[in-house]
């Protein structure tokens, strides 16, 4: 090695060492700065044709960051934020419903209603027992109202939070855009700009809590951010714009406003369809699925509770015409939402169950199979808007064409259904379930609860206007006429004679309807399945409802805890990967100082040798 080469090597060494010393000192100074990553100087030297060091091609500052560990940590942030947000809301739902230990909770009031009815059965003529039952029924209705409103308020809060978080995500994307621009500028001016990468990582880390994003970097050094499905959020230095308008009115059973992303190229897409995790997606799921489901379960409870008291079975009477047997049924009491049930055995020996559901709006026809909660029936809708039973019968006859059943008007306006001996078709049963419109002479049923959306209207489970059941928990109320005349709880007959005030038939009917009569519940609310819906009493359904929400909250809590633990572990691993090890840096600093001194000695020796050479000339 010649003197010139030695001198060049020493000069380059001093320059490189000084830069390493500066970077190492900065590492030590920022060891406790959040988000600061350890830095190293990378040198790329070039040599002349003799193998001597001639200069430095690059002398970049590199960050000690493992991208795989970083990506795993950021992914966990999205899942953790989703679980934490979901758990917070589901726990609030569970607390709102309450437990049997809380005297004002739904399960406690339902239990008390049962107890009050049992007391009324024992003393039907007791004014105090009647008032006690009515007071509990009123409290129960109001509790259903307030619980529904609480869920609605949670939906509104989630919708508002979506708006806030969309604004925060837009701000983060803009910050990344600014940082990317600064990084590109630093490259053009030859400045290292390495601290800008730390700032960008902090913004990307925050973004990962809102959405499950995929982050990469193109060949030009620009950040690229994609959603879970690959849609663009940020590309080529430009941020997409996320648009969301807070939903003015969150209607029962309807989703809130969507979140739209407009890419830098001007292409719009639905962010919800493109994402699956993060706090933002948790809020959307809560607003559009979880809380509406809880409201639907409340509506199902309110509906079945009301109909259990107000609906009465209408039995058919045997009928025979020649060799054919069957039954006749009076359809005069049908209300919108009421149903006629028919069971027969067809010519092939298969038992068929058919439900005819009454509607007043023919535009609703034909009705979907899911109209009833039964999984084993064929559903037909019949238009009763004419009020003429003859038209009801004609529609039923049309629906049963090809069944070999003889369907006709018996001449008195009643439905008559006969089997067919020739084909082996047998009519097994025919009945209806109708809602009473008065308090006497219509059976033992009583409309204890009414629909208070527009005054006090009879609740029949009508399908018109989106369905009377939808939102019913919000408007269910105690029939005001019972408050002024509690004797209606006992008096069910005035013709031909009035029943005794000590007659417990009606209170017993109401009690049995609440605690003994099994009925299928709508699987669409999430309890049971379409093929195997939950079947039980109203009291059983209350237990199922409370259990469902309690288990959902507990599962969400456990998931949030597990996700939090995982994220903490990944955070520690990520921090250990990038953080500054002060002991290691101090040791490295000593090495750098020694190398600096060695290069300085080489320069000093070279200088002395040059002086000798010059003096010898």
């Amino acid at each position: 090695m010649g003197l010139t080469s030695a001198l060049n090597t020493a000069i380059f060494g001093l320059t490189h060492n000084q830069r390493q010393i500066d970077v190492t000192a900065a590492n030590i100074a920022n060891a406790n700065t959040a988000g600061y990553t350890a830095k190293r100087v990378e040198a790329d030297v070039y040599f002349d044709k003799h193998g001597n060091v001639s200069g430095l091609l690059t002398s970049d500052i590199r960050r000690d960051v493992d991208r795989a560990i970083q990506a795993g940590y950021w992914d966990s942030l999205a899942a953790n934020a989703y679980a934490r947000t979901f758990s917070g809301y589901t726990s609030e739902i569970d607390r709102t419903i309450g437990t049997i230990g809380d005297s004002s909770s739904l399960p406690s009031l339902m239990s008390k209603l049962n107890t009050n009815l049992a007391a009324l059965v024992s003393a039907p003529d007791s004014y105090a027992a009647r008032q006690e039952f009515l007071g509990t029924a009123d409290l129960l209705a109001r509790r259903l109202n307030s619980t529904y409103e609480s869920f609605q308020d949670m939906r509104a809060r989630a919708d508002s939070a979506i708006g806030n978080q969309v604004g925060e995500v837009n701000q983060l994307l803009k910050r990344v855009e600014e940082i990317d621009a600064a990084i590109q500028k630093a490259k053009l001016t030859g400045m290292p700009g390495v601290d800008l990468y730390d700032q960008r990582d902090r913004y990307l880390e925050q973004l990962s809590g809102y959405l499950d994003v995929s982050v990469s970097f193109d060949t030009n050094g620009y950040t690229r951010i994609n959603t879970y499905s690959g849609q663009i959020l940020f590309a080529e230095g430009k941020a997409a714009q996320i648009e969301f308008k807070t939903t003015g009115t969150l209607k029962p059973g309807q989703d809130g406003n969507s979140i739209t992303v407009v890419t830098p190229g001007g292409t719009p897409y639905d962010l919800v369809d493109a994402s699956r995790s993060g706090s933002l997606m948790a809020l959307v799921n809560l607003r559009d699925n979880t809380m509406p489901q809880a409201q639907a379960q409340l509506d199902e409870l309110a509906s079945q509770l009301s109909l259990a008291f107000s609906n009465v079975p209408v039995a058919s009477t045997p009928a025979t015409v020649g060799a054919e047997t069957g039954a006749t049924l009076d359809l005069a009491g049908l209300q919108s939402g009421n149903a006629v049930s028919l069971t027969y055995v067809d010519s092939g020996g298969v038992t068929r169950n058919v439900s005819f559901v009454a509607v007043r709006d023919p535009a609703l026809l034909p009705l979907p199979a899911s109209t009833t909660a039964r999984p084993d029936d064929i559903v037909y809708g019949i238009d009763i808007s004419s009020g003429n039973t003859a038209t009801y019968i004609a529609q039923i006859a049309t629906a049963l064409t090809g069944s070999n059943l003889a369907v006709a008007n018996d001449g008195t306006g009643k439905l008559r259904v006969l089997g067919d001996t020739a084909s082996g078709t047998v009519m097994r049963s025919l009945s209806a379930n109708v809602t009473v419109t008065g308090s006497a002479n219509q059976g033992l049923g009583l409309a204890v609860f009414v629909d208070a959306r527009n005054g006090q209207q009879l609740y029949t489970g009508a399908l018109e206007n989106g369905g009377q059941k939808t939102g019913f928990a919000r408007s269910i109320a105690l029939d005001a006429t019972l408050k002024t005349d509690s004797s209606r709880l006992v008096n069910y007959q005035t013709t031909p004679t009035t029943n005794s005030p000590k007659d417990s038939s009606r209170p017993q009917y109401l009690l049995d309807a609440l605690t003994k009569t099994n009925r299928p519940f709508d699987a669409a609310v999430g309890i049971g399945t379409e093929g195997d819906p939950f079947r039980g009493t109203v009291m059983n359904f209350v237990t199922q409802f409370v259990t469902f929400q309690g288990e959902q909250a507990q599962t969400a809590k456990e998931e949030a805890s597990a996700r939090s633990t995982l994220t903490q572990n990944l955070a520690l691993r990520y921090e250990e990967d990038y953080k500054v090890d002060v002991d290691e840096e101090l040791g490295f600093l000593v090495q750098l100082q020694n190398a600096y001194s060695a290069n300085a000695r080489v320069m000093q020796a070279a200088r002395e040798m040059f002086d000798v050479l010059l003096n010898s000339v």
Side-chain angles (χ1 to χ4, degrees):
M1 178 184 291
L3 287 177
T4 302
S5 177
L7 186 60
N8 284 338
T9 301
I11 292 173
F12 297 147
L14 282 174
T15 303
H16 180 67
N17 286 151
Q18 183 58 57
R19 196 169 190 193
Q20 277 279 33
I21 289 171
D22 292 341
V23 170
T24 304
N27 285 342
I28 295 172
N30 290 282
N32 295 321
T33 301
Y36 180 85
T37 58
K39 311 293 191 305
R40 288 289 181 267
V41 178
E42 286 187 334
D44 188 3
V45 300
Y46 64 90
F47 303 87
D48 62 19
K49 62 182 180 179
H50 301 294
N52 299 319
V53 176
S54 298
L56 286 174
L57 288 174
T58 59
S59 184
D60 293 334
I61 299 177
R62 174 182 57 84
R63 300 187 307 148
D64 284 339
V65 177
D66 187 315
R67 288 295 181 189
I69 294 176
Q70 184 185 64
Y73 169 58
W74 286 353
D75 285 345
S76 76
L77 288 175
N80 183 49
Y82 184 103
R84 184 177 64 250
T85 303
F86 191 79
S87 177
Y89 276 86
T90 53
S91 294
E92 186 175 352
I93 291 173
D94 188 42
R95 289 193 302 271
T96 301
I97 294 169
T99 64
I100 195 70
D102 178 4
S103 61
S104 63
S105 69
L106 276 176
S108 179
L109 288 171
M110 284 295 299
S111 178
K112 187 176 180 182
L113 191 74
N114 180 22
T115 301
N116 293 158
L117 268 177
L120 189 58
V121 170
S122 300
D125 59 338
S126 169
Y127 177 79
R130 296 173 186 174
Q131 293 301 313
E132 186 72 17
F133 168 75
L134 292 175
T136 301
D138 188 40
L139 285 174
L140 176 59
R142 293 176 186 275
R143 180 67 184 193
L144 284 166
N145 300 160
S146 63
T147 302
Y148 191 97
E149 287 291 352
S150 294
F151 293 166
Q152 188 68 11
D153 177 65
M154 279 186 259
R155 286 193 74 193
R157 281 193 279 121
D159 189 71
S160 177
I162 290 171
N164 292 335
Q165 292 198 10
V166 164
E168 290 164 6
V169 170
N170 276 327
Q171 288 183 5
L172 287 171
L173 291 174
K174 284 299 180 184
R175 295 291 180 271
V176 174
E177 185 176 292
E178 293 168 0
I179 292 293
D180 255 25
I183 289 173
Q184 295 301 318
K185 183 178 179 181
K187 286 182 177 180
L188 292 174
T189 59
M191 299 296 291
V194 70
D195 289 336
L196 294 172
Y197 292 92
D198 287 347
Q199 294 179 42
R200 184 175 64 183
D201 281 357
R202 286 196 289 273
Y203 293 136
L204 293 172
E205 181 176 330
Q206 292 177 54
L207 180 64
S208 296
Y210 295 113
L211 291 167
D212 49 337
V213 295
S214 172
V215 180
S216 59
F217 305 95
D218 64 23
T219 55
N220 294 320
Y222 282 116
T223 305
R224 185 176 181 86
I225 306 174
N226 295 90
T227 65
Y228 171 75
S229 68
Q231 294 282 10
I232 295 173
L233 278 174
F234 190 98
E236 297 180 350
K238 296 295 183 182
Q241 180 65 32
I242 305 178
E243 300 173 352
F244 173 75
K245 184 178 180 181
T246 303
T247 311
T249 301
L250 287 164
K251 297 181 179 180
Q254 294 185 8
D255 291 350
N257 290 338
S258 61
I259 306 173
T260 302
V261 178
V262 180
T263 68
T267 303
Y269 66 87
D270 190 323
L271 182 61
V272 178
D273 292 340
S275 306
R276 65 171 184 172
S277 192
S279 60
L280 195 52
M281 292 303 102
L283 289 168
V284 172
N285 185 29
L286 287 160
R287 183 197 65 179
D288 294 343
N289 297 304
T290 305
M291 286 181 284
Q293 182 186 62
Q295 290 177 313
Q297 290 172 0
L298 278 178
D299 286 338
E300 180 71 2
L301 171 57
S303 175
Q304 294 287 7
L305 173 63
S306 179
L307 296 176
F309 289 158
S310 65
N311 278 21
V312 294
V314 178
S316 58
T317 56
T320 302
V321 176
E324 309 303 340
T325 60
T328 60
L329 180 67
D330 186 359
L331 303 180
L334 279 181
Q335 305 289 325
S336 181
N338 292 168
V340 175
S341 299
L342 167 67
T343 299
Y344 71 97
V345 180
D346 67 15
S347 58
V350 178
T351 299
R352 306 285 184 183
N353 298 305
V354 185
S355 296
F356 299 95
V357 181
V359 299
R360 294 191 180 279
D361 182 1
L364 294 174
L365 304 177
L367 296 178
S370 59
T371 300
T372 69
R374 292 183 62 176
D376 61 347
D377 64 343
I378 303 168
V379 177
Y380 295 101
I382 54 174
D383 176 15
I384 63 168
S385 59
S386 66
N388 184 351
T389 57
T391 64
Y392 310 173
I393 295 169
Q395 293 174 70
I396 293 174
T398 300
L400 293 174
T401 300
S403 66
N404 294 319
L405 293 170
V407 183
N409 188 325
D410 73 344
T412 66
K414 294 181 181 179
L415 169 67
R416 185 179 65 201
V417 182
L418 302 173
D420 180 52
T421 304
S423 64
T425 303
V426 181
M427 205 288 295
R428 290 294 189 195
S429 66
L430 180 66
S431 64
N433 193 267
V434 303
T435 308
V436 299
T437 57
S439 63
N441 305 315
Q442 295 185 39
L444 296 174
L446 178 67
V448 175
F449 298 105
V450 293
D451 187 347
R453 269 174 277 213
N454 295 301
Q456 288 211 327
Q457 298 180 339
L458 183 67
Y459 180 80
T460 65
L463 303 179
E464 287 76 15
N465 301 314
Q468 194 177 14
K469 181 172 72 172
T470 302
F472 181 51
R474 192 181 202 172
S475 60
I476 186 173
L478 177 67
D479 184 355
T481 62
L482 295 176
K483 296 179 180 180
T484 58
D485 185 7
S486 63
S487 66
R488 297 186 181 194
L489 292 171
V490 178
N491 298 336
Y492 60 88
Q493 179 179 297
T494 60
T495 303
T497 59
T498 302
N499 63 290
S500 168
K502 293 183 179 295
D503 186 346
S504 63
S505 297
R506 172 166 278 173
Q508 186 65 60
Y509 177 85
L510 299 179
L511 180 61
D512 290 346
L514 189 65
T515 61
K516 292 185 179 181
T517 303
N518 288 326
R519 63 192 77 237
F521 290 79
D522 188 0
V525 304
I527 297 177
T529 63
E530 186 175 341
D532 184 23
F534 174 74
R535 188 176 182 86
T537 66
V538 175
M539 292 299 295
N540 293 152
F541 184 77
V542 173
T543 301
Q544 289 294 315
F545 168 56
V546 173
T547 300
F548 179 93
Q549 294 298 335
E551 289 180 349
Q552 177 178 251
Q554 182 61 31
T555 300
K557 182 179 180 181
E558 292 171 358
E559 174 71 8
S561 177
R563 289 290 182 183
S564 176
T565 300
L566 175 62
T567 300
Q568 289 174 13
N569 291 336
L570 288 172
L572 289 173
R573 184 183 177 191
Y574 176 47
E575 185 180 350
E576 288 172 357
D577 174 65
Y578 75 74
K579 74 175 183 179
V580 175
D581 184 329
V582 176
D583 291 337
E584 181 180 328
E585 295 297 318
L586 287 172
F588 187 50
L589 189 60
V590 171
Q591 295 177 27
L592 291 172
Q593 289 172 338
N594 291 336
Y596 188 92
S597 298
N599 283 308
R601 287 196 297 272
V602 169
M603 288 188 66
Q604 179 64 31
R607 178 183 176 182
E608 290 174 355
M609 295 177 72
F610 271 117
D611 288 342
V612 171
L613 286 173
L614 290 172
N615 291 332
S616 66
V617 175

